[in-house]
């Protein structure tokens, strides 16, 4: 087996976004495209010679081929050992768990998260550092710089590794260990939650549930945890076999794309609890019987009830949420006397807070919740957290949420997405808004007075790094907010996201449909940003 040095030319579009590099599969299949990016990752790292790398992905189309290339490149570049999930499968939180448990140097995760898969859809790759979390911006920027200058990459001329057989083999002087994709992760979950109590709760017939893995990576994890370890009936997990194209679906656990689960939870004889996760297993959607829990509320409720869960029984160090996430968790933090951090969108911004022990729970409105147990958001972890709370409180999901609103008030919340908008138009809309920002404070729009308006900038409290232009926030004197930002994960055109929030402390007014409760703010967002006129769209593509 010999190491080949292959000459290459840079691609200009290898800038990692909110969560790694995501492109159409066809882009990744161009000669040298993946290789250039992988070499750029290695070129941006120091001190990995002889160290361990973790590799795995969500099983989407091109996962296996990409892994073979990465293994051969890791061997040629001098890694000592690679741990790879069986069949190439590792959910994003499981990869984070494996990196941490094995004190690996880092990991490469192959996923485009909730984006559709298959030959005509998306693929993605990201690098995680030794804490198990997504590489911070200084690393992703270094990768991008290297990608613009690359002239060659190194790869071992070798046979493919058998990814399906557990065990160790040799690739040049590097060891490849194919590991069980589930065990380490399932063990970690068992160490955090009261599995005996949950098992009894299920066995006593007090909880009927339905878990939808959306033909994506969580299937094997969910079957092992819910059906095998917690004794839920076989069939509790639906769509549990990971497919390369996710069955043609869009593996995003929200009310639109997880409609199969929504129909079950809103149908005749609905179970007590339902949950879905996304392509790579880091997102979650929580449903009660005929009841949807917004991710922002879910984070607040987990924080308020953390004392009921063994892994979080002693006080939480603090909580953190991404800027566009509703302020529901802020209310909990204020009441419980803990710090609450507001970070830019993207899980990578939580890493430093978690490492420094400043935050224990983190969350994003985009169906992401997690804690310091790994350095990624974690879909099944959130489901187990809910099950643990349900088993202790012996109440329905709906009554837990409503009690929470009684205590803390309700933050009505919705996100409106305009997908695949012409990029130039979307950028103009944002530029126009940015120029309006300095003129808004103090202005009255109907019932709303602008208390502040800015383009969110974040200074990391641990390393002092500054991230600018993270979304335009317009806050009103009654606590309502509108936030505008462009997605950093899309692969076609631009996606404009508008986040709307209002606060309702009055219990008598807490049962409105959020779109109704937010109707005036929705109109106002269009008045201010001229969304319809600028995008040429009459309404959002997705409302969550
Ligand atoms: C989206 C979500 C963000 C999440 C990211 C990765 O990013 O909004 O909260 O961290 O996916 O799952 P965006 O497309 O908005 O940049
Ligand atoms: Zn994901």
């Amino acid at each position: 087996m010999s190491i080949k040095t292959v000459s290459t030319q840079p691609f200009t579009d290898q800038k990692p976004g909110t969560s790694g590099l995501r492109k159409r599969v066809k882009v990744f299949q161009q000669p040298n495209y993946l290789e250039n990016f992988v070499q750029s990752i290695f070129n941006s790292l120091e001190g990995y010679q002889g160290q361990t790398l973790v590799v795995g992905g969500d099983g989407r189309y091109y996962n296996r081929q990409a892994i073979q290339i990465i293994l051969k490149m890791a061997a040629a570049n001098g890694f000592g050992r690679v741990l790879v999930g069986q069949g190439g499968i590792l959910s994003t939180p499981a990869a984070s768990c494996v990196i941490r448990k094995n004190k690996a140097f880092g990991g490469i995760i192959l996923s485009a998260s909730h984006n559709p898969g298959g030959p005509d859809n998306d693929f993605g790759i990201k690098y995680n550092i030794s804490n198990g979390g997504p590489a911070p911006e200084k690393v992703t920027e270094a990768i991008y710089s290297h990608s613009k200058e690359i002239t060659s990459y190194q790869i071992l001329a070798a046979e493919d590794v058998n990814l399906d057989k557990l065990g160790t083999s040799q690739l040049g002087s590097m060891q490849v260990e194919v590991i069980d994709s589930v065990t380490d992760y399932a063990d970690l979950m068992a160490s955090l939650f009261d599995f005996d109590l949950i098992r009894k709760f299920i066995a006593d017939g007090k909880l009927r549930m339905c878990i939808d893995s959306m033909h994506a990576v969580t299937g094997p994890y969910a079957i092992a945890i819910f059906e095998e370890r917690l004794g839920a009936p076989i069939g509790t997990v639906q769509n549990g076999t990971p497919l390369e194209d996710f069955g043609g679906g869009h593996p995003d656990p929200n009310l639109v794309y997880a409609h199969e689960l929504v129909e079950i939870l809103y149908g005749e004889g609905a179970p007590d609890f339902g949950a879905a996760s996304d392509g790579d297993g880091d997102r979650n959607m929580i449903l009660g019987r005929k009841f949807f829990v917004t991710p922002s509320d879910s984070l607040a409720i987990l924080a308020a009830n953390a004392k009921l869960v063994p892994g979080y029984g002693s006080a939480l160090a603090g909580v953190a949420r991404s800027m566009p996430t509703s302020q529901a968790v802020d209310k909990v933090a204020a009441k419980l006397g803990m710090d609450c951090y507001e970070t830019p969108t993207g899980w990578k911004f939580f890493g430093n807070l978690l490492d420094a022990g400043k935050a224990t729970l983190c969350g994003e409105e985009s169906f992401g919740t997690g804690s310091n147990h790994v350095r990624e958001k974690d879909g099944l972890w959130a489901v187990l957290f809910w099950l643990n709370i349900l088993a202790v409180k012996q109440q329905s999901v709906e009554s837990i949420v409503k009690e929470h609103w009684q205590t803390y008030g309700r933050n009505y919340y919705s996100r409106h997405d305009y997908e695949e908008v012409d990029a130039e138009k979307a950028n103009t809309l944002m530029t126009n808004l940015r120029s309006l920002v300095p003129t808004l404070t103090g202005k009255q729009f109907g019932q709303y007075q602008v208390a502040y308006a800015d383009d969110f900038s974040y200074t990391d409290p641990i390393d002092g790094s500054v991230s600018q232009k993270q979304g335009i926030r317009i806050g009103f004197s009654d606590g309502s907010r509108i936030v505008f930002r462009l997605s950093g994960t899309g692969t076609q055109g631009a996606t404009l996201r508008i986040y709307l929030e209002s606060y309702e402390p009055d219990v008598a007014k807490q049962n409105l449909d959020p779109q109704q409760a937010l109707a005036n703010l929705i109109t106002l967002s269009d008045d201010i940003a001229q969304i319809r006129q600028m995008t040429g769209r009459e309404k959002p593509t997705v409302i969550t």
Side-chain angles (χ1 to χ4, degrees):
M1 281 184 269
S2 63
I3 295 174
K4 285 196 299 178
T5 300
V6 181
S7 301
T8 186
Q9 305 236 315
F11 291 89
T12 53
D13 64 345
Q14 297 198 320
K15 187 175 168 58
T18 312
S19 186
L21 185 69
R22 288 190 196 165
K23 301 279 176 196
R24 291 289 196 227
V25 166
K26 297 230 152 49
V27 174
F28 274 103
Q29 284 172 327
Q30 296 173 83
N32 298 344
Y33 193 89
L34 175 71
E35 290 85 344
N36 272 18
F37 191 73
V38 172
Q39 188 64 54
S40 301
I41 294 176
F42 295 157
N43 289 349
S44 71
L45 306 176
E46 262 171 41
Y48 61 78
Q49 300 299 322
Q51 302 282 317
T52 300
L53 182 73
V54 172
V55 179
D58 62 12
R60 67 178 58 227
Y61 185 83
Y62 202 54
N63 192 46
R64 282 173 178 269
Q65 293 90 321
I67 288 178
Q68 297 294 350
I69 292 170
I70 293 166
L71 291 178
K72 290 169 197 173
M73 289 186 65
N77 278 275
F79 274 94
R81 181 170 75 135
V82 168
L83 301 177
V84 57
Q86 189 176 21
I89 293 286
L90 279 180
S91 77
T92 293
S96 186
C97 160
V98 171
I99 293 170
R100 293 169 69 77
K101 186 167 177 176
N102 293 282
K103 302 200 168 25
F105 187 86
I108 293 181
I109 303 179
L110 303 161
S111 169
S113 187
H114 50 287
N115 296 7
D120 297 319
N121 285 304
D122 289 355
F123 190 73
I125 172 168
K126 70 172 182 172
Y127 180 70
N128 280 27
I129 58 174
S130 61
N131 73 354
E137 274 188 338
K138 66 171 190 306
V139 178
T140 55
E141 274 158 21
I143 297 172
Y144 180 46
S145 305
H146 281 286
S147 78
K148 290 188 288 190
E149 291 160 6
I150 190 165
T151 53
S152 67
Y153 62 83
Q154 293 198 297
I155 189 160
L156 196 73
E159 292 291 306
D160 281 359
V161 172
N162 181 349
L163 296 177
D164 296 306
K165 191 166 163 282
L166 292 178
T168 305
S169 62
Q170 209 61 32
L171 200 53
S173 48
M174 185 182 87
Q175 203 183 61
V176 179
E177 197 175 328
V178 177
I179 59 167
D180 182 276
S181 313
V182 174
T183 308
D184 287 342
Y185 177 81
D187 289 348
L188 176 61
M189 294 301 111
S191 74
L192 297 172
F193 301 106
D194 192 340
F195 271 32
D196 290 339
L197 185 76
I198 302 171
R199 193 181 304 109
K200 182 165 184 319
F201 188 51
I202 295 171
D204 289 348
K206 291 185 178 155
L207 180 87
R208 284 193 309 127
M209 63 176 173
C210 182
I211 307 288
D212 191 345
S213 288
M214 301 188 83
H215 303 291
V217 81
T218 57
Y221 298 85
I223 291 168
I225 293 172
F226 301 114
E227 297 184 4
E228 290 165 14
R229 297 204 188 194
L230 294 173
I234 289 170
T236 296
V237 177
Q238 62 178 39
N239 302 321
T241 304
L243 301 177
E244 287 198 328
D245 66 347
F246 309 122
H250 196 140
D252 200 2
N254 60 41
L255 293 173
V256 179
Y257 295 126
H259 56 87
E260 221 181 296
L261 180 75
V262 173
E263 275 151 33
I264 294 172
L265 269 292
Y266 282 76
E268 280 292 300
D272 308 291
F273 181 84
S277 27
D278 73 330
D280 63 330
D282 57 1
R283 295 187 175 197
N284 73 90
M285 175 172 72
I286 304 293
L287 298 173
R289 185 183 297 129
K290 299 187 170 45
F291 194 83
F292 166 63
V293 186
T294 69
S296 297
D297 278 349
S298 180
L299 172 64
I301 291 163
L302 300 191
N305 292 286
K307 58 183 178 303
L308 306 178
V309 174
Y312 304 90
S314 48
L316 301 177
V319 288
R321 63 165 172 82
S322 67
M323 180 274 280
T325 301
S326 101
Q327 298 161 97
V329 75
D330 303 36
K331 300 265 184 294
V332 176
K335 187 155 185 160
L336 301 186
M338 55 185 169
D339 289 336
C340 179
Y341 296 87
E342 184 176 42
T343 59
T345 297
W347 206 260
K348 59 184 173 225
F349 293 101
F350 295 132
N352 279 348
L353 295 170
L354 293 166
D355 283 350
K358 297 220 175 265
T360 309
L361 300 187
C362 306
E364 294 194 276
E365 52 65 41
S366 52
F367 297 82
T369 342
S371 85
N372 58 355
H373 69 292
V374 289
R375 293 294 180 274
E376 291 277 3
K377 56 190 179 240
D378 190 344
L380 295 181
W381 168 91
V383 174
L384 286 163
F385 209 124
W386 267 95
L387 293 184
N388 203 145
I389 293 172
L390 290 170
V392 174
K393 291 181 88 101
Q394 310 256 334
Q395 275 174 267
S396 71
V397 171
E398 178 171 353
S399 74
I400 288 175
V401 176
K402 289 194 167 162
E403 266 185 28
H404 185 91
W405 292 342
Q406 276 172 25
T407 310
Y408 296 96
R410 176 172 183 185
N411 291 70
Y412 280 109
Y413 188 81
S414 183
R415 184 175 106 184
H416 289 197
D417 290 338
Y418 292 77
E419 294 177 328
E420 295 189 26
V421 173
D422 178 78
E424 208 181 302
K425 289 182 182 162
N427 284 322
T428 312
L429 182 149
M430 291 302 286
T431 311
N432 291 352
L433 260 179
R434 237 170 234 127
S435 62
L436 270 183
V437 159
T439 68
L440 289 176
T441 306
K443 267 202 178 153
Q444 192 78 31
F445 292 96
Q447 69 192 98
Y448 298 104
Q449 188 178 38
V450 179
Y452 64 89
D454 63 7
D455 194 347
F456 182 59
S457 165
Y458 177 68
T459 304
D460 186 295
I462 314 300
D463 65 15
S465 59
V466 179
S467 302
Q468 285 171 321
K469 293 194 171 182
Q470 296 295 320
I472 289 167
R473 312 189 283 183
I474 306 177
F476 302 96
S477 50
D478 66 350
S480 313
R481 286 196 315 171
I482 308 176
V483 173
F484 299 86
R485 63 179 280 282
L486 295 183
S487 155
T489 57
T491 54
Q492 286 305 94
T495 294
L496 172 67
R497 304 201 195 283
I498 296 133
Y499 310 80
L500 304 132
E501 174 180 5
S502 70
Y503 181 61
E504 184 50 77
D506 182 351
V507 178
K509 296 183 189 156
Q510 288 177 348
N511 286 313
L512 292 179
D513 172 74
Q515 301 309 316
Q516 219 183 321
L518 295 165
N520 291 339
L521 275 182
I522 294 169
T523 310
L524 181 55
S525 66
D526 192 52
D527 290 347
I528 296 178
Q530 299 291 305
I531 305 162
R532 279 185 296 177
Q533 197 196 327
M534 298 291 301
T535 62
R537 298 284 180 81
E538 271 312 300
K539 56 179 177 37
T541 338
V542 180
I543 295 181
T544 50

